[in-house]
Amino acid sequence: MSKIIVAIDGFSACGKSTLAKALAAHMGYVYVDSGAMYRAVTLFCMRNKIVGTDGKFDEKKVVNSLKKIKLSFKYNPAAKASDTYLNGENIEKDIRQMDVSNNVSKISMIKEVRSHVGIIQREMGKDKGIVMDGRDIGTNVFPEAELKLFMTADVDVRVQRRVDESNSKGEHVTFDEVKHNLMQRDYDDTHRKESPLTKAKDAVVLDNSDLNKEQQLAFVEKLIKDFLLTKDTLSL
Ligand code: C5P
């Protein structure tokens, strides 16, 4: 039986990666966090002072840095997902910091950055059997994906979830700074010229404001079962 591609897009901190990870485990598929790649490029540029502490950068220098960046991924059984490596260094923790979150959406607007990262993403999905989450997976990276989800949730619910997640890791962030970051990124991601965040025409909307993890997974499992009834392409 052939495998499929599941594309999950949506606003920041909607629980895309939590659902994508659970779904990938359920299906025996590979999970890919596409945002981690944009975060890795951003981290490289910050470390090399291409992005200043004021968030300003010269676009040409960012594009030029792409050839010095080697991204790789290694499965981490504890996280049940792959960690992201930048030139051989595990940067999984560093790319989740607020300073990277504050710069990533501006870096990911750059056309050359998107095409560079897009090539890596398409290569990862060439054999299918993949669940990838991000902002343009169903619209741009895999427009042919068999199952597309578009996730959304009330902004304050999203902020609180992100604050709780950070606190549980011992990182101190305030509700207001997280809210500002999420709203700014959502604005940048939906208004950019290159592959903006938008719902693919054939994507199913999942608003998880009032759904727990189990309910979300059950919702998607049902979608897949319904899909199976109409298309004989998938084995679970
Ligand atoms: O998913 P995550 O919040 O880690 O993504 C960080 C940022 O990377 C997003 O706010 C967005 O600017 C960018 N991104 C993107 N396209 C994707 C995934 C992420 O532009 N497919």
Side-chain angles (χ1 to χ4, degrees), residues 164-229:
D164 292 346
E165 186 187 317
S166 297
N167 287 346
S168 72
K169 290 184 197 156
E171 295 156 8
H172 181 69
V173 287
T174 66
F175 188 92
D176 287 348
E177 71 177 318
V178 172
K179 185 164 182 174
H180 179 265
N181 174 261
L182 294 193
M183 292 182 74
Q184 184 65 50
R185 279 200 289 141
D186 286 349
Y187 182 86
D188 288 343
D189 295 344
T190 49
H191 287 80
R192 69 182 174 220
K193 198 164 153 249
E194 299 298 326
S195 49
L197 168 64
T198 176
K199 184 184 103 56
K201 279 196 192 82
D202 50 349
V204 177
V205 176
L206 171 56
D207 182 335
N208 68 8
S209 306
D210 299 312
L211 298 178
N212 64 28
K213 290 174 192 170
E214 291 72 29
Q215 289 167 324
Q216 293 174 59
L217 188 59
F219 175 85
V220 183
E221 280 175 23
K222 177 162 181 339
L223 279 181
I224 292 173
K225 275 197 193 117
D226 292 347
F227 176 84
L228 267 175
L229 289 176

Side-chain angles (χ1 to χ4, degrees), residues 12 16 33-36 38-39 96 104-105 108 114 134-137 185 189 192:
S12 294
K16 298 185 295 295
D33 169 1
S34 73
Y38 292 101
R39 287 175 179 270
R96 309 292 162 194
V104 63
S105 286
S108 67
R114 300 205 72 78
R135 304 295 187 289
D136 65 338
I137 309 306
R185 279 200 289 141
D189 295 344
R192 69 182 174 220

Side-chain angles (χ1 to χ4, degrees), residues 8-229:
I8 305 183
D9 290 306
F11 296 103
S12 294
C14 265
K16 298 185 295 295
S17 64
T18 306
L19 177 62
K21 249 187 249 177
L23 189 61
H26 174 75
M27 298 171 84
Y29 279 15
V30 173
Y31 162 61
V32 178
D33 169 1
S34 73
M37 300 179 205
Y38 292 101
R39 287 175 179 270
V41 172
T42 305
L43 180 70
F44 180 91
C45 291
M46 289 169 67
R47 283 180 173 178
N48 289 281
K49 315 258 182 285
I50 295 166
V51 174
T53 45
D54 55 2
K56 294 205 172 111
F57 56 84
D58 175 343
E59 207 172 295
K60 277 197 199 121
K61 287 189 182 164
V62 175
V63 174
N64 210 26
S65 73
L66 291 171
K67 56 179 179 288
K68 298 179 199 149
I69 296 175
K70 192 178 175 319
L71 299 178
S72 54
F73 309 91
K74 200 170 146 199
Y75 189 72
N76 173 353
K80 294 200 178 102
S82 292
D83 285 347
T84 310
Y85 286 71
L86 170 63
N87 296 334
E89 177 193 349
N90 186 333
I91 49 151
E92 196 52 43
K93 214 170 161 205
D94 300 42
I95 56 174
R96 309 292 162 194
Q97 302 304 312
M98 189 54 90
D99 54 353
V100 173
S101 298
N102 284 334
N103 289 314
V104 63
S105 286
K106 304 280 192 259
I107 294 294
S108 67
M109 282 180 187
I110 303 171
K111 188 176 175 195
E112 290 84 349
V113 170
R114 300 205 72 78
S115 49
H116 182 84
V117 168
I119 290 168
I120 301 171
Q121 293 166 351
R122 276 186 274 275
E123 177 64 24
M124 293 176 104
K126 72 178 187 325
D127 297 326
K128 300 203 172 199
I130 190 168
V131 182
M132 191 178 286
D133 74 348
R135 304 295 187 289
D136 65 338
I137 309 306
T139 50
N140 181 52
V141 179
F142 297 120
E144 75 282 17
E146 288 82 355
L147 179 61
K148 297 177 190 175
L149 290 176
F150 187 85
M151 289 180 67
T152 182
D154 174 82
V155 67
D156 284 349
V157 172
R158 293 193 271 137
V159 174
Q160 193 57 55
R161 284 180 188 155
R162 189 48 60 91
V163 169
D164 292 346
E165 186 187 317
S166 297
N167 287 346
S168 72
K169 290 184 197 156
E171 295 156 8
H172 181 69
V173 287
T174 66
F175 188 92
D176 287 348
E177 71 177 318
V178 172
K179 185 164 182 174
H180 179 265
N181 174 261
L182 294 193
M183 292 182 74
Q184 184 65 50
R185 279 200 289 141
D186 286 349
Y187 182 86
D188 288 343
D189 295 344
T190 49
H191 287 80
R192 69 182 174 220
K193 198 164 153 249
E194 299 298 326
S195 49
L197 168 64
T198 176
K199 184 184 103 56
K201 279 196 192 82
D202 50 349
V204 177
V205 176
L206 171 56
D207 182 335
N208 68 8
S209 306
D210 299 312
L211 298 178
N212 64 28
K213 290 174 192 170
E214 291 72 29
Q215 289 167 324
Q216 293 174 59
L217 188 59
F219 175 85
V220 183
E221 280 175 23
K222 177 162 181 339
L223 279 181
I224 292 173
K225 275 197 193 117
D226 292 347
F227 176 84
L228 267 175
L229 289 176

